Amino acid sequence: FAFIADSVAPQQRASAFGATIGLGLGGAFFVGPALGATIDELLGTSAVFKACVAVTAFNAAFAVVVLHEPPSRGRLTWSELLRRSNPCRSFTGLLVASRPMRLLSVITLFYYLALWGFLANKGVYARRRFQLTSRETAAQLSVFGAVSSLSQTAGLSAARKVASEAQIARACFACAMGAMLIYGFATDSRLLYPAMALLGLSVGGFATVSSLCSQVVPHALVGEAQGVIASMKALMEGVGPLAFAWAMPRFEHTALPGAPWLGAAALTAVSLALCCLLEECTNDAIDLEQFRGSGERLPLQNSRGKPSASRRSSRDSDSNSEDFCVDEGGSWESPKACLQGVESRRGV
């Protein structure tokens, strides 16, 4: 995503991120389960894993040979690369100091806790509850993949023309909540297919969150910011499946065996509720980064009309990308206060 952010204008990033997820994750779910089931039947289970190894090796070779880092104004030293690769620095720097990044990270955390807990265990649940075969389970995942691919390529591009990224995120997470509610209350296996279609629509929410993430931080920190969001996602990819695998047997023989999916719907509802704060929380930060991108020179004035200290990394060659709004005590200024300083100097 950081690579895409270097090459795509901010207003087009949601569509670009969506196309990447749609063709990657969605396309994989569309083709992978059916292909894996066919290989399993024809060549055996071990052949499925060998095919996965071959695809992964090809993917790595493609990244090395074809993808090249866009030219930058200066070459980073090894010490700077090591400093930026420190995960604690990103979390303490971006999450502690940036309110928009905190909000986007928490939205990602709750959504992916529900999503990966659901995707990792829904197949086992459907087999036990509805006696689904491997091909039927693969068909459900293919529905998810097909809808995800279409919605995040053509769908996100069309939606971005009539709605903001925050509005799209809310619609996507509402679809996810609806999918998990259907799965939780379903008494017939046919209801699982529309649930998977709704879930496919929901993944666009992460694309819009990633797009907002790339706009609320200085350009030089986009990679680190995307890394923070991806870390939240990866963390939940481990926690979610374990949590829901633990919960499923506790409700399997009760009157409501789908209760874990109702819990997943509640987690998604938290992300949906937090999305209502997106405009308030991110608009000022986005405006500030647009000022930076326009070449306006910082340091900035704070809300009291006094100059703010400008904290810049002397190890970065980009003259404006590492400017931060910091008050006299060393605390980060709000983007709104920074904008007021820029506007006062411009005479706005």
Side-chain angles (χ1 to χ4, degrees):
F1 281 177
F3 189 92
I4 294 173
D6 284 339
S7 310
V8 179
Q11 62 272 20
Q12 298 173 338
R13 285 176 190 167
S15 300
F17 291 155
T20 303
I21 299 174
L23 295 176
L25 178 66
F29 271 105
F30 178 63
V31 177
L35 182 61
T38 302
I39 293 175
D40 184 25
E41 288 184 2
L42 296 177
L43 302 175
T45 303
S46 63
V48 177
F49 292 95
K50 292 176 182 176
C52 291
V53 170
V55 170
T56 304
F58 173 81
N59 192 41
F62 182 89
V64 171
V65 175
V66 177
L67 296 181
H68 299 285
E69 186 73 18
S72 60
R73 298 182 185 178
R75 190 176 183 84
L76 296 178
T77 64
W78 277 106
S79 61
E80 174 62 12
L81 289 173
L82 291 173
R83 183 182 70 88
R84 291 191 174 194
S85 66
N86 180 2
C88 296
R89 176 182 178 271
S90 297
F91 276 86
T92 56
L94 290 173
L95 289 184
V96 173
S98 173
R99 184 183 174 221
M101 281 299 302
R102 288 198 299 272
L103 177 62
L104 294 171
S105 297
V106 174
I107 289 172
T108 302
L109 185 148
F110 279 101
Y111 171 63
Y112 270 98
L113 175 60
L115 179 67
W116 285 110
F118 175 77
L119 286 177
N121 294 287
K122 57 148 299 275
V124 175
Y125 171 81
R127 287 190 182 191
R128 292 179 178 177
R129 176 98 164 98
F130 302 106
Q131 290 74 52
L132 261 62
T133 64
S134 296
R135 283 198 171 274
E136 289 173 318
T137 301
Q140 284 187 30
L141 291 174
S142 294
V143 168
F144 167 76
V147 173
S148 178
S149 297
L150 290 173
S151 65
Q152 293 186 83
T153 50
L156 266 182
S157 180
R160 192 64 187 88
K161 296 177 181 178
V162 297
S164 68
E165 288 161 326
Q167 291 170 331
I168 295 171
R170 288 192 286 269
C172 289
F173 293 139
C175 288
M177 188 171 66
M180 292 168 187
L181 287 173
I182 292 173
Y183 227 94
F185 287 116
T187 57
D188 190 308
S189 62
R190 288 173 294 186
L191 293 173
L192 306 184
Y193 291 91
M196 294 303 291
L198 281 174
L199 194 67
L201 292 172
S202 76
V203 186
F206 179 67
T208 57
V209 166
S210 295
S211 176
L212 288 169
C213 169
S214 70
Q215 298 176 59
V216 299
V217 297
H219 181 74
L221 295 181
V222 167
E224 292 184 39
Q226 293 291 347
V228 170
I229 296 294
S231 296
M232 292 294 181
K233 174 175 171 286
L235 181 63
M236 293 304 104
E237 287 174 5
V239 174
L242 291 175
F244 283 87
W246 175 87
M248 274 201 311
R250 271 73 182 169
F251 294 94
E252 187 172 2
H253 301 294
T254 65
L256 191 59
W261 316 132
L262 303 183
L267 292 171
T268 309
V270 175
S271 289
L272 177 59
L274 291 173
C275 282
C276 295
L277 304 175
L278 280 175
E279 288 91 347
E280 173 196 345
C281 189
T282 62
N283 283 352
D284 286 337
I286 292 173
D287 289 342
L288 173 60
E289 295 313 318
Q290 289 175 346
F291 272 111
R292 284 192 173 118
S294 68
E296 179 80 28
R297 190 70 184 99
L298 300 177
L300 304 172
Q301 291 177 335
N302 61 24
S303 57
R304 296 181 297 278
K306 299 178 180 179
S308 298
S310 176
R311 189 178 78 186
R312 298 178 59 243
S313 171
S314 60
R315 290 162 289 190
D316 287 309
S317 58
D318 189 337
S319 61
N320 280 330
S321 60
E322 284 282 341
D323 286 319
F324 295 92
C325 302
V326 185
D327 65 15
E328 294 82 1
S331 301
W332 286 42
E333 287 260 41
S334 70
K336 184 174 182 180
C338 293
L339 283 173
Q340 288 173 347
V342 173
E343 290 169 353
S344 66
R345 294 203 314 279
R346 284 183 167 180
V348 177

